[in-house]
Each structure stands twice: as structure tokens, then as C-alpha cells.
Amino acid sequence: MVAYLHAAPAPESSTPPGGRDALALPGEALGSVLLVGEAARPAVTQALVAEGFEPVHVEGARAALTWLGLEAGVSRPESEPMRPAPALPRLVIIDADLPDGDGFSLCGVLRADARSAHLPVLLVARHPEEFHRDLAAGVGADEYLVEPVDARDVAVLARLKAGRRGEEDVYDAHTTTLPLVGLVRALLSGVRSGRVVLAEDTGAFVFRHGQVVDASFHGERGSLAFRRLLCFGAGEYTVTFGPELQRGSFSLDRAFLCEQLEPGLERFEQLRVKGLPLAARLTVDFNRLARELPSLPEDVEQVVRLFDGRRTVRAMLLECRFPEALAYEAATRLFMLGVLVPAILVEERERARESAGPPRLFEPVLAPDSEPDAS
């Protein structure tokens, strides 16, 4: 029994470009997911339904093969009509322990049949075993998870696998329907290796056996680049599974992501919704700054000096060495105090002064009742 899976709400999203299944909105029909083993999985079922999948439960290996139309060693009488083969599921989730066998053997059977060899298979084990990882790789499982497993991770992996690129172990997705934070959390719950590359932004990260080991984003590399990639990375991306042997620049596991990074990332997203637009250009009102300076922290100077009227809020956040959420909060607070003002207002004020012409410093001022001398 998979008893530790817990439900989570589906991620909020808006319509992305493109027509591939992986880019469909959560809740839209994406096909079925076959769950093999203990049927009492309300959390997984709820998470899959929220993502737009139709969960189908079967009790064991034989029932799974029957549902897939792949009964091994069964010959039908000629008089018995052939049952139409059902549409293959998008993903098969198999318990490692089954009432009539084991999940590893079932995965091997699926891989040996040409009709099901391409199906993504996710194995879930109740207890970690040293040999399970190698066994899962040996039978061709797409992923191996150990309890306790978050139901959100299962739903994310299902959505990711829906975007498979042909017969390759390459998957296409979009941050609108599959945000990077949820993707990373799901990838780090497994044991596979690979890399994620953004299509539009200069960014990528490498994961290996449950850890992120390298990242690059806009000229940065390491943990800072990874954090900024999660904050600013957007658009289509590609996930490629396979050996990653390069030497990493840092190491980050799922626990650190959830406990240390996610709170700041959630705060950053809240500020993006309610705070300053990232594309806004701001400049400093130095008179207001002088009045407010005694009540401001000393470190605020690190944020203020980056607002020169040319940088956007996004550019400031990328240059500032403070955590993104902290720098964003500081900028928002300074804007509310009037220390930061839209650069366009200052530019319009300067243009108005220029259009008024030069000051009339040396022209005489005539009295109202005086007239010019006619002589």
C-alpha cells in the first residue's frame, strides 16, 4: 500500500503558446494514467485529475497486461471475437510489490513488447533497497521513487512524460503549465540524471541522482545561477535524461530546495503578482531619500544605487547580491516611501523644462502702466 502520498493543489497557470500536450492547461484532457497495485490512492488520483489525466486502477501485473491488451502466453479461441486494444496510457505507475509478482518484472514485460516499449513507467517502492536503483535501470524504468512520495511529484512527472519527443528520452514543457520549481522538486524525488535547458533564456541546470549539481544563467554559474533561474526562467524548456558525468559546481537536494529555497521563491512570486512590474524603470528622488534615510537600514544603499533610471527592476534584481525576494521587497518599500519614482516622470519633467525655452534672465520687466518710449 502506498500510504504516504498526499494531495496538493494543481499549480496556477495561464494559456501558453504551442499545441503540444505538455503545453496544455492543467485540467484539460491529456489521456489516461494506469496505476498498478494498491487501488486506494486518493491523493494521487486527485493530483492526476487536477492535471487533466484520467487515472485507471488495476490490482496486479496480470490485470495490467489484460487492460493493456498484452496478456502474456494467452491464446484466444478462434470463435472468440478480438477485443479492441484500448488506447495506451500516457504513463504507467507501478508498485514495486504486487499481489501477483513485482513491479520490476512487469516493467520488463512492458519494455519487451513492441506495443508498450515506449510507455513511460514510474516505479514506486515502499522501502529503499540498495539494489532497487540498479534493478529499475536494468528493466528500463523511467523513474524510481521511494516512499514517502509527494502526490504533486507524481502529477508533475506524468505531465512531463506527456511531452515526450518521439522515441527519444527527451521531453518538452513550458513554465506556464509546468513551473520550474515543481519540476525540480519532482526530478529530485527520483534517482535519474539529466539536464534541463531553457529555450529562450540563457539558462540550464544539471541533476544527478536526486541532486542539482550545476547551473548557469545569464553569465552566472553555481547556486546563485540556479536560484535566479528558478526566479526568472520562463518559456519553453527541454528535459533530457541520461548520464551526466561533468564535475558539478555545487550540490543541492530536495530537502534544501523545499526548506530553504521555496519560501523565498513563493514570496518572490507573490511580489511579482502584487508588486512592482519587473519591466519598470525607476530612479531615485534624492530629496525624499535624504528625509527617509535615518529610518532606513544601512544595507539599503546596495539596492538604491542600482536604480539609475536606465535599469529595469529585473536588471536590478539580477545585479544585486541580496536574495531576490529580499531585494524585491526593499525596492517595493522604497517605491511606497517615494524614494524610488518612475524614470519616465523625471524624463517628462526634463522635456517640459527644455520646451519652455531658456530662462529670460536679462530681459527687462515692464510695469503694467508703462509704455515704451517712442522717441
Side-chain angles (χ1 to χ4, degrees):
M1 177 185 296
V2 180
Y4 298 93
L5 295 169
H6 55 279
E12 298 179 1
S13 60
S14 57
T15 305
R20 284 171 289 185
D21 290 334
L23 307 187
L25 290 171
E28 294 183 359
L30 289 176
S32 61
V33 173
L34 181 62
L35 298 104
V36 185
E38 183 61 47
R41 296 185 174 189
V44 175
T45 300
Q46 180 181 350
L48 290 173
V49 169
E51 285 292 328
F53 294 98
E54 178 189 355
V56 178
H57 297 84
V58 296
E59 293 293 333
R62 184 63 180 269
L65 293 174
T66 301
W67 190 87
L68 292 167
L70 306 174
E71 297 96 328
V74 175
S75 59
R76 296 179 180 273
E78 294 182 2
S79 59
E80 181 180 336
M82 292 293 292
R83 177 175 60 87
L88 292 176
R90 291 298 190 139
L91 175 70
V92 182
I93 303 173
I94 309 174
D95 286 342
D97 298 313
L98 298 174
D100 57 351
D102 66 86
F104 300 96
S105 298
L106 176 58
C107 181
V109 172
L110 296 180
R111 287 289 177 261
D113 194 304
R115 293 169 291 179
S116 59
H118 67 284
L119 283 179
V121 176
L122 191 156
L123 288 169
V124 179
R126 303 179 197 174
H127 308 290
E129 298 287 353
E130 289 292 335
F131 63 91
H132 273 181
R133 180 190 297 178
D134 294 335
L135 187 56
V139 297
D142 286 75
E143 192 55 271
Y144 167 73
L145 307 180
V146 179
E147 293 288 1
V149 176
D150 193 323
R152 294 175 299 175
D153 295 341
V154 177
V156 165
L157 291 172
R159 175 168 283 274
L160 175 65
K161 299 302 181 180
R164 186 164 188 165
R165 186 184 295 177
E167 299 299 318
E168 303 175 85
D169 206 3
V170 179
Y171 303 84
D172 296 311
H174 195 285
T175 55
T176 308
T177 53
L178 197 51
L180 288 175
V181 177
L183 172 77
V184 175
R185 188 175 55 233
L187 292 175
L188 297 188
S189 68
V191 298
R192 297 197 66 189
S193 301
R195 65 174 55 234
V196 176
V197 180
L198 296 177
E200 299 177 3
D201 256 322
T202 308
F205 69 87
V206 176
F207 58 96
R208 183 164 56 230
H209 305 323
Q211 294 184 328
V212 177
V213 297
D214 201 6
S216 60
F217 188 72
H218 281 266
E220 295 280 355
R221 186 186 178 195
S223 58
L224 176 61
F226 179 65
R227 195 180 70 216
R228 288 183 171 170
L229 186 148
L230 294 183
C231 285
F232 301 104
E236 295 186 16
Y237 60 87
T238 300
V239 182
T240 304
F241 290 96
E244 289 290 344
L245 304 178
Q246 72 180 60
R247 186 175 180 179
S249 58
F250 68 103
S251 179
L252 182 150
D253 61 12
R254 189 180 186 279
F256 187 88
L257 172 73
C258 295
E259 297 168 9
Q260 303 295 323
L261 291 187
E262 276 201 279
L265 294 171
E266 291 173 359
R267 178 58 181 158
F268 184 81
E269 284 303 311
Q270 293 171 359
L271 290 167
R272 288 187 67 170
V273 173
K274 300 179 181 180
L276 295 168
L278 293 181
R281 290 189 302 115
L282 304 178
T283 191
V284 181
D285 182 330
F286 289 98
N287 292 329
R288 187 72 178 184
L289 175 62
R291 292 197 297 269
E292 298 290 344
L293 196 58
S295 63
L296 297 176
E298 292 183 6
D299 291 342
V300 78
E301 180 268 337
Q302 300 293 324
V303 175
V304 171
R305 67 181 179 83
L306 294 174
F307 286 102
D308 56 1
R310 296 187 298 273
R311 290 184 180 90
T312 62
V313 174
R314 186 179 190 273
M316 182 280 296
L317 294 173
L318 286 172
E319 289 189 42
C320 187
R321 291 295 163 175
F322 291 151
E324 292 74 19
L326 178 62
Y328 207 167
E329 277 189 297
T332 302
R333 177 63 176 165
L334 291 170
F335 181 80
M336 294 174 64
L337 290 173
V339 174
L340 296 178
V341 295
I344 190 171
L345 296 181
V346 177
E347 294 169 358
E348 290 177 353
R349 189 186 308 158
E350 293 300 322
R351 283 196 294 269
R353 289 175 179 173
E354 292 174 2
S355 63
R360 300 179 179 183
L361 301 177
F362 304 105
E363 292 185 9
V365 178
L366 298 178
D369 56 349
S370 63
E371 295 182 0
D373 188 358
S375 60

